[in-house]
Each structure stands twice: as structure tokens, then as C-alpha cells.
Amino acid sequence: MNRVREFRRAKKLSQLALAEQIGVARQTINLIENDKYNPSLDLCLKLAWVLGTDLNTLFWRNEDENQS
Amino acid sequence: MKISHEESLRDRFVRHVFGIVGPMDEHARQEVGRISTTILAILWVIQLVGLLIAMWVSEIAGDANAFLALTAVVLLSLLGLVGIYGSHAMNKAQLTQTETTPDAYRALRRKKIHQTTRSAIISTIIMTALNLLWAGNTTIQENLATLFTYDQLMQSVIFGVGIFIVLYWTNVHSIRIVEE
């Protein structure tokens, strides 16, 4: 599971506010948070920039998570 | 860091054709691509099979007109099938849903009903005008006489009600209330 929701909440942003900032639909953010859509590297970078973190922190999975 | 949100003309066109409500982002593009590929496959296979059957039937019946009639049936059925699949798939992918907050719901619903009514009236006027054009009348008096025939009035009313129901379903019924 990625940490987009956790960082978004820490930044006190709604899904819609985050979506508007990076130019996607709210549904896309919802799908990413629920691991139902794999975003492109470009979108991952935008998310990391807006949420003030890096790709590793936001998306890196542990080995056991990767196998499940 | 500055993130560009500019939408190209092509994206705007695709968004309008498919009735996508939100921005044309990468997820929408991916879904549209998947749905279009399926539509292309449906068109390709059914058209090929349908036309072969039409050719076979007209050959057996020994009537060339049978081919034209069956081709028309195949093409119209395909159009309907593709339309139904397309709108169902777009709805399922949540690309045609309008989202709103509980506070703004009533105002948005009212706005959408007005838009739907306006679109239904304009579509009915266009359909009636096309009917009059095809009727082959030469004078305004003849056109008016055709316009107020029972058949023409019934056609316009049925078309108007039908298109209103379809538009209401796609515009008003698709509004979703989001709490967050």
C-alpha cells in the first residue's frame, strides 16, 4: 500500500484539492490511494512534489508487501 | 515547482465526444483507450460477420436489395450496440460522473435539469427540421402543413420525450455526492 493518503491528510488536503493541484480527477487520486491504479512516473513525481516528499517514501514497498 | 494544466485541442475534443466530466488525465486516457479498442474489435468482428451473412442471404434469395437492407440492419444494430457499450463502460469507469458536495447538490441538480431540458428542445427542433427537409416540400406553407400533421407531431413528441429521458439519465442521474 502506498502512503499517498497518509501524506495528503498530514498536509490537510482533500482528495479534490490535491487533484486540482496536480491536474487530475479526484477519482484518479482515490484509485491511486486504494492501489487500484498504477500512476505514471510523471504523476508520481507530481504527487511527491506537492506532498513535499520523495518517491521512495511515498511509493516504496517492502519485500513482503510486494509478494502479497 | 509549477505544474502545467493546459489541455490540448485533441484532449478537449475527445472529452466532449466521450462525455468525460473531469480533466482528461492519464487514467481517463487509459480508460478511453481501452474502451475504444474494445469498440473497434466489436465493429470489426460484427461488421465482417454481419456483412458475410447479408451476402449469403442475398445470394440464396437471389435479391440484391436484400443485401442493402441487411447491411442497413447490421450497421444500425452496431451503432446501437457500440453506443450502449460505450456509455456503460464510461459510467463504470466513473468518467462521466459529476461530483458535488451535499451543500451544492440542489443547485447543481437544478442547473443540470435546465441544461437537459434545453438540449432536449434543441435536439427535437433539429430532428423536426431535418424531417421537413427530407419531406421535399418547396414552400413554407407546405412545410407548415407537414409540421402540423398528426404523424409529424407525434414523432417530434416521442423523440423529445425519449431524448429528455436519455439526457436526464446521463446528466442528472450521474451526479454523485462526495462527502470529502
Side-chain angles (χ1 to χ4, degrees), chain A residues 8 14-15 20-28 31 37-40 43 46 49-50, chain B residues 1 3-5 22-28 30 93-95 97-99 176 178 180:
Chain A
R8 175 177 62 77
S14 67
Q15 285 184 340
E20 279 171 354
Q21 279 196 44
I22 57 174
V24 298
R26 189 204 64 84
Q27 287 93 332
T28 306
L31 290 168
Y37 173 65
N38 284 328
S40 67
L43 186 50
K46 284 177 183 172
W49 279 323
V50 170
Chain B
M1 187 208 52
I3 296 172
S4 170
H5 294 175
M24 190 69 189
D25 63 8
E26 59 176 57
H27 171 251
Q30 198 180 79
Q94 298 183 3
L95 298 178
Q97 273 180 355
T98 309
E99 292 190 336
R176 188 168 164 231
V178 180
E180 191 176 12

Side-chain angles (χ1 to χ4, degrees), chain B:
Chain B
M1 187 208 52
K2 197 179 171 210
I3 296 172
S4 170
H5 294 175
E6 270 184 39
E7 190 179 35
S8 70
L9 202 64
R10 193 187 70 125
D11 279 352
R12 207 174 298 171
F13 173 71
V14 172
R15 207 157 55 78
H16 280 289
V17 168
F18 281 89
I20 296 169
V21 175
M24 190 69 189
D25 63 8
E26 59 176 57
H27 171 251
R29 253 188 225 109
Q30 198 180 79
E31 286 297 320
V32 166
R34 190 181 58 79
I35 293 164
S36 304
T37 310
T38 312
I39 286 175
L40 195 67
I42 294 171
L43 282 175
W44 172 245
V45 173
I46 297 184
Q47 197 175 326
L48 193 73
V49 173
L51 291 183
L52 281 174
I53 291 171
M55 274 172 72
W56 178 67
V57 169
S58 66
E59 186 68 30
I60 285 175
D63 185 1
N65 286 333
F67 176 73
L68 292 176
L70 286 171
T71 303
V73 171
V74 168
L75 292 179
L76 284 175
S77 313
L78 258 181
L79 210 64
L81 194 71
V82 161
I84 291 167
Y85 167 76
S87 59
H88 172 72
M90 298 297 287
N91 273 339
K92 204 174 162 195
Q94 298 183 3
L95 298 178
T96 50
Q97 273 180 355
T98 309
E99 292 190 336
T100 186
T101 53
D103 307 336
Y105 173 72
R106 284 175 75 90
L108 181 69
R109 189 172 184 274
R110 205 167 33 241
K111 189 180 155 198
K112 289 278 180 185
I113 288 174
H114 284 161
Q115 278 177 356
T116 302
T117 311
R118 203 170 46 232
S119 301
I121 290 170
I122 292 170
S123 305
T124 310
I125 289 170
I126 291 171
M127 195 281 292
T128 310
L130 285 174
N131 261 356
L132 292 178
L133 206 66
W134 284 325
N137 295 327
T138 48
T139 62
I140 294 171
Q141 283 82 3
E142 280 177 349
N143 273 327
L144 283 174
T146 310
L147 181 64
F148 292 107
T149 56
Y150 177 76
D151 284 356
Q152 182 55 57
L153 285 174
M154 280 309 284
Q155 252 186 52
S156 298
V157 169
I158 291 169
F159 178 85
V161 172
I163 199 82
F164 179 83
I165 292 169
V166 171
L167 291 175
Y168 183 89
W169 186 263
T170 51
N171 292 340
V172 184
H173 199 75
S174 64
I175 299 173
R176 188 168 164 231
I177 300 170
V178 180
E179 294 293 336
E180 191 176 12

